[in-house]
Amino acid sequence: MLIAAVRSAITYVAVSLYVLVTGLVGMLLATVFGWTGLLYIFGHGGVYLGLWLSGIRFKVAGAEHLPLDRAAVYCSNHESNVDPPVLFTALHSRMHILYKHEIDQIPVLARAFRMGGFIPIDRRNKESAMRSIEKGAASLRSGNSFLIFPEGTRSRTKEMLPFKKGGFVMAIKAGVPIVPVAISGGRDAMQRGSKVIKPVTISIRIGEPIETSGVDLDDRNQLIARVRARIQELLAQGAIA
């Protein structure tokens, strides 16, 4: 536990410094030259740095299902704080994220997120949330893929929390497929409420895309149930050997 705590502290310091330096440099170059792609390169570098320092590895099964030639909404369960960075790197080289607006309190990171096309969502404010969803649908229509965590927060148990509808509405409005993603091992890496990151191997299982073309907003509950059931099936397959 002591070793993990020390590694965690080193990870937090190193990644924070990395974000500060590369974030400022990346935003400057993106502003002056329009090199927004550089923000993604730096972002992936920061994730790999954090994973290497903390001892986290990941394995992927079902990568053949990734629709990398078209925009899609990647829908995942949520176990811990390690899930977003791991999936950001494991699923797509230019993944956009629908993120909780609380992250906007971190100035450099939030600014880089917005410049990279990430969209904050405040689920406590219905009007603001709907504007975020409309903005996300427009981004999807322009060819960008998004990662969503429909539970809205981390589950304290192995049971998934109820799914919120926003990300599914976004996919329906854009007419893009939803890719079910099951991530496991994150809870072992980082318990909710703890700052210690333990070295573990994360398993990521990817299911076949579920099309939304022809799906009406009135049918969103059925779509949610279908995606949720598929994620549960993927989780039931257990860790990747």
Side-chain angles (χ1 to χ4, degrees):
M1 185 67 174
L2 178 59
I3 294 176
V6 172
R7 291 183 69 167
S8 298
I10 294 172
T11 300
Y12 289 130
V13 172
V15 173
S16 295
L17 291 174
Y18 178 93
V19 169
L20 180 61
V21 174
T22 62
L24 292 173
V25 171
M27 287 188 290
L28 176 62
L29 294 175
T31 300
V32 176
F33 300 106
W35 296 346
T36 55
L38 190 60
L39 293 171
Y40 284 88
I41 294 174
F42 285 158
H44 289 296
V47 170
Y48 279 116
L49 173 64
L51 296 181
W52 177 69
L53 289 173
S54 60
I56 291 180
R57 299 180 180 182
F58 62 83
K59 294 182 178 180
V60 179
E64 67 275 10
H65 298 314
L66 294 171
L68 300 180
D69 60 337
R70 59 189 295 205
V73 170
Y74 294 78
C75 178
S76 175
N77 62 305
H78 198 2
E79 290 191 345
S80 81
N81 282 335
V82 305
D83 301 341
V86 169
L87 293 178
F88 169 74
T89 289
L91 297 177
H92 198 291
S93 62
R94 293 290 293 267
M95 181 70 79
H96 290 50
I97 297 179
L98 197 65
Y99 69 92
K100 292 194 293 186
H101 80 289
E102 287 88 348
I103 293 178
D104 283 344
Q105 298 174 9
I106 309 174
V108 175
L109 186 62
R111 179 62 177 165
F113 275 8
R114 288 174 179 263
M115 290 188 71
F118 290 17
I119 298 176
I121 184 168
D122 183 358
R123 293 189 174 91
R124 297 172 298 182
N125 185 322
K126 186 175 181 180
E127 291 185 3
S128 174
M130 286 306 301
R131 287 195 296 270
S132 295
I133 290 168
E134 291 292 347
K135 188 175 180 180
S139 185
L140 284 164
R141 285 191 289 268
S142 69
N144 298 312
S145 291
F146 273 82
L147 172 63
I148 66 169
F149 295 95
E151 294 169 275
T153 189
R154 293 153 288 162
S155 175
R156 292 181 180 275
T157 69
K158 292 184 178 181
E159 297 298 322
M160 285 190 292
L161 300 173
F163 280 10
K164 300 182 184 301
K165 301 176 182 180
F168 297 91
V169 171
M170 193 169 76
I172 293 172
K173 284 179 173 289
V176 301
I178 296 176
V179 182
V181 178
I183 185 167
S184 58
R187 193 174 290 107
D188 295 328
M190 194 173 188
Q191 294 289 332
R192 182 166 181 167
S194 173
K195 299 296 184 182
V196 177
I197 308 170
K198 299 177 182 177
V200 301
T201 298
I202 305 291
S203 291
I204 303 167
R205 293 189 180 274
I206 303 162
E208 295 182 11
I210 297 174
E211 297 294 337
T212 65
S213 179
V215 176
D216 191 88
L217 285 175
D218 292 336
D219 301 322
R220 62 184 180 275
N221 288 337
Q222 292 93 318
L223 176 64
I224 292 172
R226 184 180 175 190
V227 174
R228 183 185 178 91
R230 184 56 182 140
I231 293 175
Q232 288 176 323
E233 291 172 0
L234 293 170
L235 286 171
Q237 295 178 27
I240 301 171

